[in-house]
């Protein structure tokens, strides 16, 4: 009798997996907004969670709301079902619950980048909810294309915890890409709706009038504001391909021409226009001290007037799930490792667009040398110098 | 919640230890002890030889997230476990191959455990050993149930408990193999070189306790819940790392204490433990690297700056699974040494004269140690 009773007690004690019924609300943003607007965001945050769940569903049952403004489908709902929910597999070897299988330990269920293993990553895993991505082929302020995200999943990011998923089936990669877009869209809508509730719909310490209450139906003013925001974010994703940065052909040089080009590139590297040496250091080894932060960190620190080093000020944000602020260091260009790819086209885009979400600025492309930007030829000189730096060690 | 699995394992192992300890003392008072039947011992060895690969395959199932490749239980896609078409199994998806293979191997272990109980009933004169084999059978059934419930409920917490209980079962099999061996009775009335005090026994008991705690902590990291907090995860990682080095230190101290005990069945596995824990630490670093890249503390390692993590790589999955399997091996070896030490404590007739010990201490050459051991291992039945 002892063992069966022990097993029963054991089962009661063990229970099952902790249930995941909803996405956690973005409390860090809510707190930052409360600080920035000097008002309570509790009600706005509460109603936002309700509306966003109506629109986008739960971690186990995601939904994709209709958005007439988006002229083409942004995600395939079948992919969302494959990537969401608990990990399982079918008889033919097809895996479901792909996001929890491959991504959740670092990126967290909501795509907040604060997953269980996030504190050990440097840089921290990406918070998708800002809708900002570093490594892409589009203009700085635009969304990445699905192809960009797929390429990132396939290639991984060397020198970081972001793996290459090249061994996954193509359908699995498609499902993951769509789910990342879903989480990013859902998270960005959540942020925008919370902000709109405070700024446009009179949310504060008390709830606004019924007409202004946030709603997932577009028949009230509150509902229309939500629909507009959903449309805007969906449209941004649907139009991403239109904003791909065209890369001019890269002239292959050799011999003296190459040496001369690299020498010119070195001048631009140290010159006033590009001034790469100002951050990456004269030797390009990223050794200069830095006090700057990325946009994801600034969101709850410097932008709302808080010092990231102030532990007391950071306490409520840390409690709400924010990771400890870390300064962003310019990369060394000498080890041959480029997180976003070291090919000439990627470097061209990085120089002309900068890196979204980071202090890395863009260099203006000009038709003729004018001291304010660089011509295409000059940018290629700079690219050759950077590539030469990376192989010189 | 895998602490519950830990408690369950402790219950089983603790009960087994109680049985062993109680009978170890009483047995030493017997003038004659019939040797356990050879068949019983051989079946125990077979069990040990089957359970370790079973842990490997089970580890692979988790590494590949293939636990749900067969959604029903106890059958496989409606078939009886043993009647599932072997061609579909062998030529099907890798997930199905390892999950169904894990179940088949588990079933074979179950059958061997049944055979062990039957043979112990007929061949084993010590009743408590028969009870122990019965305990093994109950443990293997429990483990099968845990695995089945994990599938039926699709529950990762139960997968973690299943993963924690497996190594405990493996250690229990190894201990039973030691107890049923012929050498077990050779300790009776023999003179030992060292005095096995309670301190030494505690030291050797701390090693399996610590290594099992490490297994539980490792399982927490491996089966981490999607909504676990980064703080808890970081705390478990830190504890896991610190305890690994503490365990390594303990194995070194333990080996120093008994390296010249004159009994190779104690000193050799104790020495082996130091090596195994060293390998395990290296595998632990490897496991972290193939999952999360090089940690910043090891950024000085050449090539770490450009290291690319590859999801689902075969060699990577072997490193991760080796870490799991080596952990079980450390547990089993440390339990074996500890059980033997307990036996020495209860059965040997104290120490030989200190002068002889000193002479032995002065001469540390393995050749001479071997000679001494030969003489000491001669059975001295009172």
């Amino acid at each position: 009798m002892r063992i069966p009773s022990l097993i029963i007690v054991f089962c009661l004690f063990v229970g099952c997996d902790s249930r995941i019924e909803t996405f956690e609300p973005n409390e860090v943003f809510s707190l930052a907004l409360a600080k920035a607007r000097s008002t309570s965001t509790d009600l706005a945050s509460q109603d936002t969670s309700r509306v966003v769940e109506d629109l986008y569903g739960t971690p186990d049952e995601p939904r994709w709301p209709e958005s007439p403004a988006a002229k083409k489908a942004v995600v395939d709902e079948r992919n969302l079902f494959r990537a969401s929910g608990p990990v399982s597999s079918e008889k033919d070897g097809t895996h479901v619950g792909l996001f929890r299988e491959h991504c959740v330990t670092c990126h967290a269920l909501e795509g907040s980048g604060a997953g269980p293993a996030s504190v050990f990553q440097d840089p921290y895993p990406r918070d998708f909810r800002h809708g900002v991505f570093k490594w892409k082929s589009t203009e700085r302020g635009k969304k990445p294309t699905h192809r960009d995200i797929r390429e990132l999943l396939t290639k991984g990011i060397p020198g970081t915890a972001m793996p290459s998923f090249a061994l996954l089936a193509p359908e699995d990669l498609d499902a993951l890409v769509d789910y990342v877009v879903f989480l990013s869209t859902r998270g960005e809508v959540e942020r925008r709706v919370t902000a709109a509730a405070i700024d446009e719909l009179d949310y504060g310490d008390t709830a606004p009038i019924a007409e202004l209450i946030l709603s997932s139906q577009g028949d009230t003013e509150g509902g229309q504001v939500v629909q507009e925001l959903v449309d805007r974010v969906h449209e941004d994703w649907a139009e991403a391909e239109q904003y791909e940065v065209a890369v001019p052909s890269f002239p292959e040089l050799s011999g003296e021409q190459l040496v001369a080009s690299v020498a010119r590139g070195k001048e631009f590297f140290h010159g006033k226009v590009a001034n790469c040496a100002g951050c990456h250091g004269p030797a390009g080894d990223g050794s200069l001290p830095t006090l700057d932060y990325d946009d994801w960190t600034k969101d709850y620190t410097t932008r709302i007037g808080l010092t990231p080093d102030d532990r007391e000020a950071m306490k409520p944000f840390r409690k709400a799930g924010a990771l400890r602020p870390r300064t962003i260091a310019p990369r060394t260009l000498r080890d041959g490792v480029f997180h976003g790819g070291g090919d000439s086209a990627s470097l061209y885009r990085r120089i002309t667009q900068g890196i979204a979400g980071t202090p890395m600025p863009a260099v203006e492309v000009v038709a003729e040398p004018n001291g304010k930007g660089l011509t295409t030829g000059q940018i290629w000189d700079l690219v050759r110098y950077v590539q030469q730096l990376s192989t010189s060690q | 919640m895998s602490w519950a699995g830990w408690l369950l394992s402790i219950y089983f192992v603790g009960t087994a230890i109680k049985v062993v300890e109680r009978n170890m003392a009483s047995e030493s008072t017997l003038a004659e002890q019939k040797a356990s039947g050879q068949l019983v011992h051989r079946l125990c060895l077979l069990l040990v030889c089957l359970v370790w690969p079973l842990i490997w395959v089970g580890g692979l199932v988790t590494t590949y997230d293939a636990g749900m490749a067969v959604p029903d239980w106890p059958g496989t896609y409606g078939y009886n476990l043993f009647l599932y078409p072997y061609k579909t199994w062998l030529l099907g998806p890798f997930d199905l191959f390892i999950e169904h293979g894990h179940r088949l191997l588990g079933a074979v272990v179950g059958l061997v455990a049944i055979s062990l109980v039957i043979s112990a009933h007929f061949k084993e004169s010590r009743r408590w050993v028969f009870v122990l084999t019965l305990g093994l059978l109950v443990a293997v059934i429990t483990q099968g149930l845990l695995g089945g419930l994990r599938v039926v409920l699709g529950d990762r917490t139960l997968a973690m408990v299943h993963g924690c209980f497996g190594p405990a079962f493996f250690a229990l099999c190894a201990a039973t193999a030691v107890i049923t061996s012929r050498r077990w009775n050779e300790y009776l009335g023999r003179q030992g070189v060292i005095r096995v005090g309670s301190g030494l026994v505690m030291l050797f008991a701390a090693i399996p306790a610590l290594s099992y705690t490490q297994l539980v902590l490792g399982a927490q990291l491996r089966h981490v819940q999607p909504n676990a907090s980064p703080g808890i995860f970081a705390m478990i990682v830190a504890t896991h790392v610190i305890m690994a080095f503490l365990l390594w230190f303990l194995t070194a101290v333990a080996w120093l204490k008994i390296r010249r005990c004159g009994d190779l069945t104690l000193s050799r596995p104790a020495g082996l433990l130091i090596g195994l824990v060293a390998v395990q630490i290296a595998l632990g670093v490897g496991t972290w690297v193939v999952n999360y890249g090089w940690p910043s503390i090891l950024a000085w390692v050449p090539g770490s700056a450009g290291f690319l993590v590859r999801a689902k790589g075969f060699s990577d999955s072997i490193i991760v699974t080796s870490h799991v399997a080596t952990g079980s091996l450390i547990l089993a070896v440390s339990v074996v040494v500890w059980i033997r030490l307990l036996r020495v404590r209860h059965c040997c007739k104290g120490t030989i004269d200190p002068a002889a010990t000193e002479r032995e201490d002065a001469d540390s050459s393995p050749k001479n140690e071997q000679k001494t051991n030969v003489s000491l291992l001669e059975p001295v039945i009172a």
Side-chain angles (χ1 to χ4, degrees), chain A residues 16-17 89 91 95 101 159 164, chain B residues 77 95 155-157 305 307 309:
Chain A
C16 296
D17 291 347
S89 51
K91 190 179 183 180
H95 278 216
E101 182 178 348
S164 154
Chain B
Y77 286 104
D95 285 6
D155 195 285
R156 282 176 85 87
T157 305
F307 181 78
V309 180

Side-chain angles (χ1 to χ4, degrees), chain A residues 2-3 6 10 13-14 16-18 20 87-93 95 100-102 104-106 109 114-121 155-165 167-168 335 337, chain B residues 1 4-5 7-8 11 64-65 68-69 77 84 93 95 138 142 146 153-158 161 224-230 233-234 237 288 291-293 304-313:
Chain A
R2 279 179 73 189
I3 288 176
L6 187 85
F10 163 80
F13 179 62
V14 169
C16 296
D17 291 347
S18 50
I20 299 167
V87 183
S88 190
S89 51
E90 311 283 350
K91 190 179 183 180
D92 63 358
H95 278 216
R100 286 187 211 174
E101 182 178 348
H102 300 292
V104 81
T105 312
C106 295
L109 270 174
S118 57
V119 286
F120 293 102
Q121 320 303 340
K155 290 183 176 171
I157 304 180
T160 74
M162 177 67 193
S164 154
F165 293 101
L167 294 174
L168 260 60
D335 62 3
V337 179
Chain B
M1 276 301 173
L7 290 177
L8 185 70
Y11 174 79
Y64 277 93
D65 277 299
M68 295 301 291
Y77 286 104
Y84 188 71
D95 285 6
V138 172
T142 308
L146 282 171
L153 301 174
D155 195 285
R156 282 176 85 87
T157 305
L158 281 178
V161 175
V224 62
Q225 291 285 331
N227 48 1
S229 87
F233 187 87
V237 170
W288 184 269
N291 276 307
Y292 304 111
S304 61
F307 181 78
L308 180 65
V309 180
R310 290 173 204 281
K312 304 286 174 191

Side-chain angles (χ1 to χ4, degrees), chain B residues 4-65:
Chain B
W6 192 49
L7 290 177
L8 185 70
S9 306
I10 285 176
Y11 174 79
F12 272 101
V13 176
T15 310
I17 288 166
K18 266 187 201 163
V19 171
V20 172
E21 272 208 301
R22 196 187 307 136
N23 292 284
M24 201 129 37
S26 64
E27 202 182 322
S28 62
T29 61
L30 294 175
E32 274 188 32
Q33 176 61 52
K34 282 183 185 174
S36 178
Q38 281 290 294
L39 181 64
V40 176
H41 179 58
R42 282 177 184 162
L43 282 172
C44 283
L45 286 181
L46 179 63
L47 213 50
V48 171
C49 294
L50 285 172
V51 174
W52 203 49
L54 185 61
I55 288 173
W56 268 91
V57 183
L60 267 181
V61 167
T62 303
T63 307
Y64 277 93
D65 277 299

Side-chain angles (χ1 to χ4, degrees), chain B residues 19-321:
Chain B
V19 171
V20 172
E21 272 208 301
R22 196 187 307 136
N23 292 284
M24 201 129 37
S26 64
E27 202 182 322
S28 62
T29 61
L30 294 175
E32 274 188 32
Q33 176 61 52
K34 282 183 185 174
S36 178
Q38 281 290 294
L39 181 64
V40 176
H41 179 58
R42 282 177 184 162
L43 282 172
C44 283
L45 286 181
L46 179 63
L47 213 50
V48 171
C49 294
L50 285 172
V51 174
W52 203 49
L54 185 61
I55 288 173
W56 268 91
V57 183
L60 267 181
V61 167
T62 303
T63 307
Y64 277 93
D65 277 299
M68 295 301 291
V70 182
D72 53 343
W73 181 84
T76 296
Y77 286 104
Y79 286 89
N80 176 291
L81 179 67
F82 296 103
L83 301 178
Y84 188 71
Y86 71 94
K87 279 186 183 168
T88 317
W89 170 47
L90 295 174
L91 303 175
F94 186 66
D95 285 6
L96 174 69
F97 174 70
I98 51 177
E99 170 60 12
H100 184 63
H102 183 55
R103 291 180 182 199
L104 282 176
L105 196 51
V108 171
V109 167
L111 291 175
V112 174
I114 292 169
S115 314
L116 178 66
V117 172
I118 295 169
S119 65
H121 178 71
F122 289 110
K123 299 276 185 183
E124 177 58 60
S125 56
R126 296 167 290 179
R127 182 166 162 71
W128 66 276
V129 175
F130 169 68
V131 173
L132 199 59
T133 59
L134 214 53
L136 275 180
L137 181 61
V138 172
V140 80
I141 292 169
T142 308
Q143 178 69 338
L145 280 173
L146 282 171
L149 281 175
R150 177 265 181 276
V151 169
V152 173
L153 301 174
D155 195 285
R156 282 176 85 87
T157 305
L158 281 178
M160 181 158 55
V161 175
H162 181 63
C164 289
F165 194 66
F169 174 69
F170 178 50
L172 210 55
C173 290
T176 314
V178 169
I179 289 162
T180 54
S181 69
R182 200 165 44 188
R183 198 182 291 273
W184 184 255
N185 294 315
E186 292 172 357
Y187 289 106
L188 279 170
R190 212 184 74 191
Q191 281 193 322
V193 172
I194 55 163
R195 201 179 71 81
V196 182
S198 58
L200 194 64
V201 171
M202 289 295 281
L203 175 66
F204 275 89
I207 296 174
L210 210 57
S211 49
Y212 193 66
T213 309
Q214 282 290 78
L215 279 166
V216 174
L217 291 172
Q220 300 267 349
L221 299 176
R222 196 160 148 81
H223 299 269
V224 62
Q225 291 285 331
N227 48 1
S229 87
I232 296 286
F233 187 87
M235 197 182 73
I236 296 174
V237 170
T239 314
H240 196 51
V241 171
I242 292 166
M243 281 179 70
F245 285 98
L246 180 64
L247 181 63
W248 201 15
F249 174 73
L250 274 186
T251 55
V253 172
W255 177 73
L256 283 172
K257 292 270 184 194
I258 63 162
R259 74 190 194 281
R260 294 205 180 104
C261 69
D263 187 344
L264 290 178
T265 62
L266 289 174
S267 59
R268 275 190 178 164
L272 177 69
L273 275 175
I274 303 175
L276 280 176
V277 176
V279 169
Q280 180 70 339
I281 290 172
L283 285 170
V285 173
T287 299
W288 184 269
V289 169
V290 299
N291 276 307
Y292 304 111
W294 286 90
S296 35
I297 198 170
L298 295 175
W300 51 269
V301 175
S304 61
F307 181 78
L308 180 65
V309 180
R310 290 173 204 281
K312 304 286 174 191
F314 183 70
S315 53
D316 300 343
S317 67
I318 293 298
I319 290 174
V320 176
T321 311

